[in-house]
Amino acid sequence: MNSSIDLTGIGKPALLEVSDLEARYGHARVLTSITFSVAPGEAVVLLGRNGAGKSTALKAIMGLEVELQGRILLDGRQVGGLATHHIARAGAGYVPEDRRIFAGLSVAENLAVGRQPARDGHAWSEAEIWTLFPPLQAIADRRAGHLSGGEQQMLAIARTLMGNPRLLLLDEPSEGLAPVILARIAEAVATLKARGIGLVVSEQNLGFVRTFADRVLILETGTVRFAGTLAELDADPSLVTRFLSV
Ligand SMILES: Nc1ncnc2c1ncn2[C@@H]1O[C@H](COP(=O)(O)OP(=O)(O)O)[C@@H](O)[C@H]1O
Ligand SMILES: [Mg+2]
């Protein structure tokens, strides 16, 4: 089942529609003809080995670093080529691979820095963040630079949520984290989906995304080699050996 079709069927455009996206760093073209869409409450996962173009795809959507061609519609509005702060204001939140939290600020202060005006009548509160990521509450006053990798990843996601995004882009959230933390983050992603947030998650860890991925795209050298459901991916084990590290 393709849930984006279900939701667009009621006359509502997809939350994110990427068509024929190309991206280049200077003269080096690193994405070719990427097309996919994300509906509200849906998680699309970009899989692929190092250098496949996953981070570049997220950066292109966010208006960071690359020159791009093609269409990027957020809530039906072309945002491709806009400045990053306009894309954020239009509803996209981005958690980069290096998390970029403020090491010298406390957990609570990092959340306060991320706070933006309400969207669709809702603004994330600290209390809701503690419900989503219970371990953060006990360390609300701790400096972010003193947190474990897992705590920092939870904080990075939480801080981005304070901007009240409709669309959340996560770049390899599982990288370097222990299984117990991965389970917690996967559970949080499922909660965000249930709240209607659409997600694009870049990953190399197929096991991590299994509980929340609605559809997966496999990228190799900046091109989509496979797009489908997890069941469709599992039906062809050669995809994993050809395009993913195991
Ligand atoms: N800032 C940059 N300048 C030039 N080339 C880059 C830059 N960042 C990434 N690349 C190249 O773009 C390709 C895709 O990289 P990336 O999107 O980071 O892949 P992934 O996230 O899947 O590991 C790689 O060949 C990489 O070397
Ligand atoms: Mg990357």
Side-chain angles (χ1 to χ4, degrees):
M1 275 298 283
N2 182 334
S3 58
S4 75
I5 286 171
D6 296 336
L7 286 159
T8 54
I10 57 172
K12 197 173 170 187
L15 180 58
L16 176 72
E17 254 185 277
V18 174
S19 355
D20 293 322
L21 177 65
E22 288 196 17
R24 56 185 77 231
Y25 294 101
H27 291 298
R29 186 168 73 173
V30 295
L31 295 182
T32 311
S33 207
I34 307 285
T35 296
F36 68 96
S37 66
V38 184
E42 185 180 40
V44 172
V45 174
L46 307 181
L47 291 170
R49 293 198 175 99
N50 274 333
K54 306 181 297 297
S55 297
T56 301
L58 300 188
K59 286 178 191 167
I61 294 165
M62 256 351 256
L64 292 163
E65 293 181 45
V66 290
E67 292 162 54
L68 56 87
Q69 288 186 315
R71 283 204 317 173
I72 303 176
L73 303 185
L74 184 56
D75 267 332
R77 177 175 159 224
Q78 168 74 18
V79 297
L82 293 185
T84 300
H85 64 278
H86 288 302
I87 298 170
R89 204 172 302 154
Y94 170 58
V95 182
E97 207 166 4
D98 63 7
R99 295 163 193 158
R100 249 169 275 165
I101 51 175
F102 296 106
L105 300 183
S106 72
V107 166
E109 287 165 345
N110 267 276
L111 295 182
V113 167
R115 180 170 284 128
Q116 293 292 323
R119 190 189 306 278
D120 307 326
H122 172 260
W124 280 83
S125 65
E126 262 192 10
E128 285 177 299
I129 294 294
W130 306 150
T131 303
L132 187 70
F133 292 123
L136 291 183
Q137 182 167 17
I139 55 171
D141 296 327
R142 194 172 301 169
R143 274 179 184 234
H146 294 163
L147 305 185
S148 70
E151 290 164 343
Q152 290 191 6
Q153 185 60 266
M154 288 188 274
L155 176 58
I157 296 171
R159 190 187 64 181
T160 300
L161 287 173
M162 295 299 283
N164 307 307
R166 286 201 188 101
L167 174 74
L168 188 58
L169 311 176
L170 305 180
D171 197 355
E172 291 210 36
S174 82
E175 202 178 7
L177 303 185
V180 61
I181 299 290
L182 295 189
R184 198 179 278 288
I185 291 174
E187 197 181 316
V189 168
T191 301
L192 297 175
K193 283 175 56 180
R195 296 181 66 142
I197 293 177
L199 292 104
V200 183
V201 182
S202 135
E203 260 305 330
Q204 301 200 44
N205 183 341
L206 179 58
F208 164 65
V209 307
R210 282 195 175 279
T211 56
F212 61 77
D214 295 295
R215 280 180 298 135
V216 300
L217 272 70
I218 296 181
L219 301 185
E220 189 204 40
T221 58
T223 306
V224 177
R225 302 294 186 186
F226 167 86
T229 62
L230 280 173
E232 288 163 347
L233 175 65
D234 289 337
D236 183 355
S238 77
L239 289 168
V240 171
T241 49
R242 274 152 72 203
F243 300 124
L244 303 174
S245 311
V246 283

